[in-house]
Structure formats: C-alpha cells, structure tokens
Amino acid sequence: MIVEQPSLFTNADWSNESASREHLNLSESVLKDWKQRIFNYQTALTPQQQVSLFESIETDPYAIDPFKLPQQNTQFWRQKAEDEGVAALYFVIDYELPIILYIGETIKSNQRWKGEHDCKRYLLNYRQAHYDYQLPSSLGIAFWSNAPIKTRDRQKLELALIQRWRSPFNKENWTIWGTPFTYGKQ
C-alpha cells in the first residue's frame, strides 16, 4: 500500500509561488547587471577617516563603513538573546559582491525582524533568483550599535545612510534601481 506524503504547501501556496515567479521577469544577465551597477556605485563611496568638526561619529553617515561591521546571519532574530538589544542601525548585505541591499534602524537590535518585515520577502525573492540561475550569494546582516537612542535622530541618520548608499531594497531608492524583488505581498 502506497501512502501519499502530505505536502507542506497548499494548492494556493503553489499558485502564489508560480504567480510570484512570473513577476520576476529578470534574466540572469539583467540580474548580474543590476548587481554590478549597485556595486559600482557603492564601491565609489569611501567612509571619511576624519569626522567633521561639527558632527560626531554618531550622526555622521560618512564615518560608518557597513562592510567592516561584524557579520551575522540574516536569521539572527531566531537565536535566543539575553536581552532586547540596543539602539542600532543595520545593514543587509550580499557579501558575495559585496553590495548593501537594505538599511534599517531599531531601538531593540535583538528584537528586530521577529514579526512581519517586507525586507524578509525581498531577501527570499533575491535568494530564489540566485538559486534559479545557480549564482552565488552570501546574505548577512551587520549592526552598528552606536546609533542615537532618540528615535528621530536615529531615523534621520538612517535616511542619510539610505540616500548615501542607495540601498535598493529601501523604497527611497526604488526609482533608481527598480523593484525586481518586491513582489509576493499577500
């Protein structure tokens, strides 16, 4: 007697996945070109070694080098943490090229991403595109824990960093890079 293994996915899940893939419309060469353009832009930026006389490192977006921050897995939030964390800015990076994909801020670095977060979906779509074309990617996240504690100050610095690095998953930069990985919201 053959027993059918139940699927982890419903028929609706499969049809949503098929519909999502249709939205990608991104060839391998277009994906590579998209990443290369971001890489070229971001590598032309270099953090300043000296902070201006009128700004401290906590408020100077030119003094932060996201690529030199300690790397963490993008599933960091699943790990048991002893505390809620600290005020921080974070950078979602594909370390393979490397490129900064997303910049965010949080008051509780160990709690961020526990719930719904659009960037999680973008990363899944991005990873899937790489898998489909058998391209390497090395997604990670890095936290800068010297961020201002006051929300408005932290958000102001976050926006300055988003504008500086032009991170493609941040909606502020969608008109620059397009939105090839934002599909699939249910």
Side-chain angles (χ1 to χ4, degrees):
M1 182 171 121
I2 298 175
V3 177
E4 188 175 316
Q5 175 75 25
S7 175
L8 294 173
F9 303 101
T10 67
N11 287 338
D13 291 334
W14 284 114
S15 60
N16 283 340
E17 177 63 24
S18 297
S20 293
R21 285 177 183 267
E22 290 173 13
H23 286 91
L24 183 55
N25 291 331
L26 193 67
S27 70
E28 180 179 353
S29 62
V30 170
L31 173 59
K32 287 178 176 179
D33 179 62
W34 182 83
K35 289 174 56 178
Q36 190 64 49
R37 287 185 299 121
I38 295 165
F39 175 77
N40 292 344
Y41 173 80
Q42 290 181 350
T43 54
L45 303 174
T46 55
Q48 292 177 342
Q49 297 303 317
Q50 184 174 348
V51 178
S52 100
L53 294 174
F54 303 104
E55 294 194 60
S56 69
I57 193 166
E58 288 84 14
T59 59
D60 185 0
Y62 295 93
I64 301 168
D65 186 348
F67 300 107
K68 291 187 177 175
L69 297 172
Q71 297 178 31
Q72 291 188 44
N73 186 298
T74 56
Q75 300 294 312
F76 73 94
W77 54 275
R78 293 182 185 269
Q79 299 169 3
K80 186 171 176 83
E82 294 179 17
D83 58 36
E84 294 178 333
V86 297
L89 293 167
Y90 60 92
F91 304 85
V92 178
I93 299 172
D94 184 343
Y95 289 97
E96 181 67 29
L97 199 48
I99 56 174
I100 299 169
L101 297 169
Y102 183 82
I103 298 170
E105 61 84 22
T106 182
I107 189 68
K108 299 176 182 177
S109 56
N110 290 335
Q111 299 289 312
R112 190 65 179 131
W113 284 30
K114 284 201 176 199
E116 290 293 316
H117 199 294
D118 286 340
C119 189
K120 287 182 190 178
R121 185 177 76 253
Y122 309 159
L123 287 174
L124 286 174
N125 295 337
Y126 180 86
R127 185 171 287 160
Q128 184 64 50
H130 284 73
Y131 178 79
D132 289 347
Y133 296 122
Q134 298 179 341
L135 296 173
S137 68
S138 181
L139 297 176
I141 192 165
F143 285 88
W144 185 69
S145 57
N146 294 325
I149 294 173
K150 291 183 180 176
T151 301
R152 296 276 185 238
D153 293 341
R154 199 172 52 257
Q155 289 172 339
K156 184 178 174 185
L157 183 55
E158 173 198 29
L159 180 58
L161 287 161
I162 290 168
Q163 292 169 339
R164 173 172 166 67
W165 291 99
R166 295 186 183 172
S167 43
F169 288 3
N170 289 97
K171 64 184 173 193
E172 293 87 347
N173 296 316
W174 288 359
T175 57
I176 298 169
W177 307 115
T179 58
F181 303 104
T182 59
Y183 61 86
K185 190 167 187 172
Q186 298 179 5

